[in-house]
Every structure is written in C-alpha cells, then in structure tokens.
Amino acid sequence: DTAVSQTPKYLVTQMGNDKSIKCEQNLGHDTMYWYKQDSKKFLKIMFSYNNKELIINETVPNRFSPKSPDKAHLNLHINSLELGDSAVYFCASSRINTIYFGEGSWLTVV
Amino acid sequence: DAKTTQPTSMDCAEGRAANLPCNHSTISGNEYVYWYRQIHSQGPQYIIHGLKNNETNEMASLIITEDRKSSTLILPHATLRDTAVYYCIVRVEADSWGKLQFGAGTQVVVTP
C-alpha cells in the first residue's frame, strides 16, 4: 500500500485555470506538507499542517490554498495558474524524525 | 538550520562502497544530520540520521566526526538502483513541523 499518495501524477493546463492536487497518507501521521521542486531541482517547503492546522506558510502566493479536511488529507488548490507555477509538487507526512514523500505531481502550465 | 556543503557529483562502481561527504561546520549542538535521496522522477526518500554517534541501518551507515563539523554517508555495496541525488540536511529533531531545507545535493551515478 502506498504510504503517501497524490493525484494526479501529471497535469497539463492552460494559464489562468484553477486546479487541485489531492494528497492522502495512510501512516497515521499528524503532520503533512507540500513541497515544490522547480526546474532547477531545488526542493522548497510551501506549507505544513499539523492536526489540520496551518503551521508553516513559506510566503507562497495567495493563489495557492491548502485544504486539510482531516489529518489524513492535505489538498492543494491553485487559482489563476501562471507559467511559473510549472513544477513538481510533492506531498509529504511525518512523525518527528522521518518525512515520507509522495511520488510527486508534475504540473505543466502552458 | 545550519548550511551544508556537498560535492556536486560523484561516480561509484557497482558493488563498491560509496562514501558521500558532507560539511556542516556551523552545526549547532542540538542539530541532527539527516540524509535523504531522490531517485529520478520519484519523491525524496529518508536514509538515515544521527546526532554525534555513528549510525547504521539496512540502507547505509553514517559517520560523524568528533567535532561534528562533517559527516560521511556510506553505501556499503552500491547498486545501479542507488543512482540518485543525495541530500545532507541538518535540523533540530524536535522541529516536528518538518521544515527540511534541501540544498543541491550530490548526484551519485553508479556504473556497472
């Protein structure tokens, strides 16, 4: 069974559209995250949620809105997509010393 | 969190040990050394972490110098599937919010 699963794996969309990426973890972890990996391959944290509460928001544009309906889910909604949003988005969850990442969602904005 | 310095890339022969160095000269007393790796087109994967003692698990060994200013990740018998980018990260373990700061990492290529 996949520990951290995210959908869709690939997404191609036009500028200006609104899209969502879903994430689910079956590890029973309280903390979930969204990371972004850009074209230069640098991984950066976007958001961190603990028990459905926002803990970290790394100066991400307001167009990005995470939603955590319960501890096992953290979805990422993006409004008015821009070309620069093209990247790989990784969902993750953790206990204290280990973070488990999903396989990534490849977003391409055209 | 302290900054780390790693070589950009390194090659390793299949079946041989791969020794990946990491410098973290500004590490604080309560910061742990973590290693993750990212195989192409996959999410990052936890490998190992330690504070000051050497650590070993089924994937690798971690050797931390006595002054804790550097460490080495050892893959004892590298396989082709170990080809990946390896990230050395230092952070406070009690920081359970998981703000891992990834650098550029070391691209390891294991060759037959």
Side-chain angles (χ1 to χ4, degrees):
Chain A
D1 289 340
T2 303
V4 181
S5 58
Q6 48 185 115
T7 56
K9 187 172 178 66
Y10 300 101
L11 180 59
V12 180
T13 187
Q14 290 185 329
M15 282 174 44
N17 284 350
D18 302 337
K19 291 294 179 184
S20 293
I21 306 172
K22 295 184 178 181
C23 177
E24 176 182 6
Q25 54 96 3
N26 62 7
L27 298 167
H29 292 162
D30 290 338
T31 309
M32 296 186 70
Y33 319 83
W34 279 106
Y35 278 77
K36 178 181 179 181
Q37 188 167 38
D38 58 23
S39 58
K40 296 182 179 180
K41 304 298 184 183
F42 284 105
L43 268 162
K44 293 183 179 179
I45 190 168
M46 300 174 66
F47 300 103
S48 170
Y49 268 73
N50 182 262
N51 284 321
K52 303 192 300 176
E53 291 190 18
L54 180 66
I55 302 298
I56 295 174
N57 180 342
E58 285 293 305
T59 61
V60 177
N62 292 335
R63 299 182 296 104
F64 291 79
S65 54
K67 294 284 194 304
S68 182
D70 55 59
K71 289 197 310 183
H73 296 83
L74 181 61
N75 304 321
L76 183 65
H77 188 76
I78 315 171
N79 291 324
S80 303
L81 278 157
E82 301 177 356
L83 294 177
D85 297 331
S86 295
V88 185
Y89 293 85
F90 289 99
C91 179
S93 71
S94 76
R95 60 176 187 258
I96 290 179
N97 58 17
T98 306
I99 298 178
Y100 297 86
F101 287 83
E103 290 300 298
S105 294
W106 271 251
L107 172 65
T108 302
V109 182
V110 296
Chain B
D1 290 342
K3 183 178 178 180
T4 62
T5 304
Q6 300 177 249
T8 302
S9 63
M10 62 183 296
D11 295 337
C12 177
E14 187 178 20
R16 304 293 294 269
N19 297 310
L20 282 62
C22 179
N23 288 323
H24 31 79
S25 58
T26 60
I27 192 170
S28 301
N30 62 346
E31 287 183 314
Y32 286 69
V33 180
Y34 286 79
W35 283 85
Y36 281 75
R37 73 178 182 183
Q38 187 174 22
I39 296 170
H40 183 62
S41 297
Q42 296 184 19
Q45 177 189 22
Y46 167 81
I47 302 174
I48 199 168
H49 79 288
L51 181 62
K52 54 183 178 181
N53 296 324
N54 297 337
E55 302 288 344
T56 297
N57 63 20
E58 66 277 7
M59 292 183 68
S61 295
L62 174 61
I63 308 298
I64 303 174
T65 57
E66 191 169 345
D67 63 8
R68 303 210 322 123
K69 293 185 176 182
S70 65
S71 60
T72 302
L73 179 74
I74 301 172
L75 307 177
H77 305 286
T79 70
L80 298 179
R81 288 174 294 181
D82 292 323
T83 292
V85 178
Y86 287 77
Y87 298 98
C88 172
I89 302 165
V90 293
R91 63 183 282 258
V92 177
E93 187 181 55
D95 176 11
S96 60
W97 310 136
K99 188 177 176 179
L100 290 177
Q101 294 194 359
F102 288 84
T106 296
Q107 173 67 64
V108 173
V109 177
V110 180
T111 56

